[in-house]
Amino acid sequence: MTTTMLRKLLFTMLALCLIAAAVPVIVAANERPIQLIVNNESKGELDAYIQKGVMYVAFRPFLNALGYTVQYNSADKEVSSNIDGKELMYVFGEDSIYFDDDAFYLPVTGTILNGQVYLPIRQLSYFTKYNVDYDKQQRTVTMVKFGYGQELAIRELVTKYYLTNSPKLLTDDTLIYYNRNFDYEADAAQYISEIPTRNFIVKIDYIHYASDHEAELQVTYTDNDQVLNTTNVTWYSIRFENGQWKIYREVVVELLHELPPDIDESAAVILEQHNKEQASVLSDIHTYYKAHNEENIELALQYTSPSFIDHWNAFMIDHSTWRQSLEAHYTYADERVKLTDERIVFLGEKEAVVHGMLEWSETVEWEMEGPYVYEALIYLDYANGHWNYSWDMEIDN
């Protein structure tokens, strides 16, 4: 007898032995068939049996019910399926099932009954990313895909986090760097910019569920207003915690700032219709930079946005004030900032935006960094009878 014939004979004998062992546990005639419900949709009767507390399901009908096709190689006694781009494969008689080239041990080898291969339902559900619940009394198997029905909640999470940066949307183990007493959401809600929003889109590029309570996703934010077009691509790891989805890790993949195509037109209109107001804005921002360069802390504070200072003082975990931070900076560093080619690209009642070139350099312990020259937008707000520096943003296009 050849080796091939002996191998086939051993497979046949093994199959007969397993069939004989499994026949007594098939659903009894007086028992109701087990019903399968997938994502709230009835899939009819489930071809399954239970042995020693483990439910085994027919490989092909089960995966077909989940929307997957199955291939069978009779020569190699191999069944396989493509599960979302990853191969799931089992060779009859082996004690492992293979998924995406990794082997997973099976306590009991698969069984062949009536031409169907039976494998543990929970193992197959793990590969297909479903939760499984068996109601013995109702004889119903309910399966729910990881993330099923969670799209809206996750979209709301990443949208709200982008707009508020609220630590209430972070998992408990990521809050060590945040002031828990600061109400980020109330702070964001009270700030309503005068700059008109033109387009704001939140697009989930992809989402991968590792389990029913953990996922990874990539989000593209398109945030365009009258003075700046922003594309922000961020990768998140999220976790279902205390009854809601929360963020526990984020990485900015791409951040692109570009001026709108009509920015020159906006600047020209302001120059023509609000020449006097423009002169006032530019005079005040130059006063701020002059005070900063001369390390005149009182004047620098006077021309710094009061709302920015209040926000800083409330936000810092160590309770250090903006004045203290500025004093420390002036003590240990010698910073110089020069604004050129400046023009106003937005002018509201309480908010203005200056576009220009900033030249920056800094000397710390006799070592100089810079000078660097870059295109920037400088944001100002009006308070205490004059315009005040709030923050600036480099334009990296």
Side-chain angles (χ1 to χ4, degrees):
M1 182 180 294
T2 65
T3 302
T4 301
M5 294 177 62
L6 180 60
R7 183 172 180 268
K8 289 184 177 180
L9 178 61
L10 290 174
F11 266 120
T12 302
M13 293 175 64
L14 179 59
L16 291 173
C17 291
L18 290 173
I19 291 172
V23 169
V25 297
I26 298 299
V27 177
N30 61 346
E31 287 186 321
R32 288 179 291 121
I34 298 173
Q35 299 297 312
L36 175 63
I37 299 175
V38 179
N39 292 341
N40 299 323
E41 180 182 350
S42 175
K43 296 294 184 177
E45 296 181 6
L46 179 65
D47 189 354
Y49 69 84
I50 298 174
Q51 183 178 30
K52 295 182 179 180
V54 178
M55 179 178 291
Y56 296 80
V57 293
F59 187 87
R60 182 188 296 273
F62 177 74
L63 289 182
N64 287 165
L66 300 184
Y68 301 106
T69 58
V70 173
Q71 294 78 41
Y72 175 63
N73 186 325
S74 58
D76 296 328
K77 295 287 194 293
E78 174 187 298
V79 288
S80 62
S81 180
N82 186 295
I83 307 297
D84 302 325
K86 299 177 181 179
E87 185 185 38
L88 173 64
M89 185 265 289
Y90 176 69
V91 177
F92 179 70
E94 294 191 1
D95 61 1
S96 294
I97 187 170
Y98 296 88
F99 182 66
D100 197 27
D101 294 329
D102 291 327
F104 296 82
Y105 173 71
L106 295 172
V108 179
T109 59
T111 304
I112 293 182
L113 294 174
N114 300 322
Q116 297 284 356
V117 176
Y118 287 74
L119 291 166
I121 186 173
R122 295 195 181 278
Q123 189 70 66
L124 295 178
S125 299
Y126 171 77
F127 298 135
T128 54
K129 300 187 181 301
Y130 279 86
N131 278 326
V132 180
D133 180 68
Y134 175 53
D135 188 326
K136 185 176 181 180
Q137 183 176 359
Q138 297 296 323
R139 294 188 62 77
T140 300
V141 168
T142 301
M143 299 181 61
V144 179
K145 186 79 170 178
F146 295 169
Y148 176 75
Q150 300 299 310
E151 293 84 358
L152 179 59
I154 292 174
R155 178 178 292 276
E156 290 178 348
L157 168 70
V158 296
T159 301
K160 191 174 184 179
Y161 184 70
Y162 177 85
L163 296 173
T164 68
N165 287 314
S166 172
K168 293 180 180 179
L169 305 176
L170 303 177
T171 55
D172 290 340
D173 55 355
T174 60
L175 294 176
I176 58 175
Y177 301 110
Y178 289 82
N179 184 347
R180 302 193 185 200
N181 297 319
F182 184 78
D183 194 337
Y184 292 76
E185 293 183 24
D187 181 73
Q190 74 179 7
Y191 176 73
I192 301 176
S193 176
E194 294 179 319
I195 304 172
T197 297
R198 292 176 170 178
N199 194 21
F200 180 65
I201 299 173
V202 179
K203 178 178 176 290
I204 297 179
D205 302 319
Y206 69 82
I207 185 166
H208 169 73
Y209 293 93
S211 68
D212 62 338
H213 61 278
E214 288 188 324
E216 296 177 349
L217 66 154
Q218 179 176 291
V219 182
T220 296
Y221 301 96
T222 302
D223 188 2
N224 300 336
D225 60 32
Q226 188 172 318
V227 299
L228 185 67
N229 292 342
T230 299
T231 301
N232 182 321
V233 181
T234 302
W235 173 88
Y236 294 106
S237 288
I238 61 175
R239 182 189 304 149
F240 197 76
E241 180 179 277
N242 299 324
Q244 69 179 94
W245 287 99
K246 293 188 175 183
I247 295 169
Y248 68 91
R249 189 178 300 116
E250 65 171 313
V251 176
V252 177
V253 178
E254 179 183 2
L255 182 60
L256 178 63
H257 300 301
E258 295 181 313
L259 296 176
D262 62 346
I263 196 74
D264 293 337
E265 180 182 341
S266 298
V269 170
I270 294 172
L271 180 62
E272 179 182 352
Q273 299 181 4
H274 304 280
N275 186 267
K276 182 178 179 181
E277 293 89 338
Q278 172 166 276
S280 177
V281 172
L282 296 180
S283 174
D284 289 343
I285 190 59
H286 279 290
T287 297
Y288 166 79
Y289 283 126
K290 183 175 185 295
H292 185 70
N293 292 337
E294 294 176 353
E295 299 184 352
N296 184 337
I297 190 167
E298 296 302 332
L299 191 59
L301 289 172
Q302 182 182 342
Y303 278 83
T304 299
S305 164
S307 61
F308 168 80
I309 294 175
D310 291 343
H311 185 278
W312 175 281
N313 295 345
F315 172 81
M316 294 305 293
I317 299 175
D318 61 1
H319 305 293
S320 62
T321 66
W322 178 245
R323 173 185 283 273
Q324 291 170 332
S325 176
L326 208 55
E327 288 174 344
H329 182 73
Y330 288 163
T331 300
Y332 297 105
D334 186 12
E335 184 179 53
R336 294 290 182 270
V337 183
K338 182 181 179 181
L339 173 63
T340 58
D341 300 330
E342 60 273 31
R343 59 178 181 167
I344 309 297
V345 291
F346 177 80
L347 182 62
E349 293 184 3
K350 296 291 185 179
E351 191 172 1
V353 182
V354 174
H355 171 245
M357 303 300 295
L358 285 179
E359 179 180 309
W360 177 92
S361 63
E362 184 177 71
T363 302
V364 179
E365 296 181 352
W366 307 106
E367 292 187 9
M368 183 174 179
E369 183 178 358
Y372 301 119
V373 179
Y374 57 92
E375 186 179 12
L377 291 177
I378 302 119
Y379 291 75
L380 303 94
D381 60 32
Y382 190 82
N384 302 325
H386 57 263
W387 291 95
N388 306 275
Y389 171 87
S390 185
W391 57 289
D392 63 70
M393 173 181 292
E394 179 181 356
I395 306 301
D396 54 8
N397 62 329

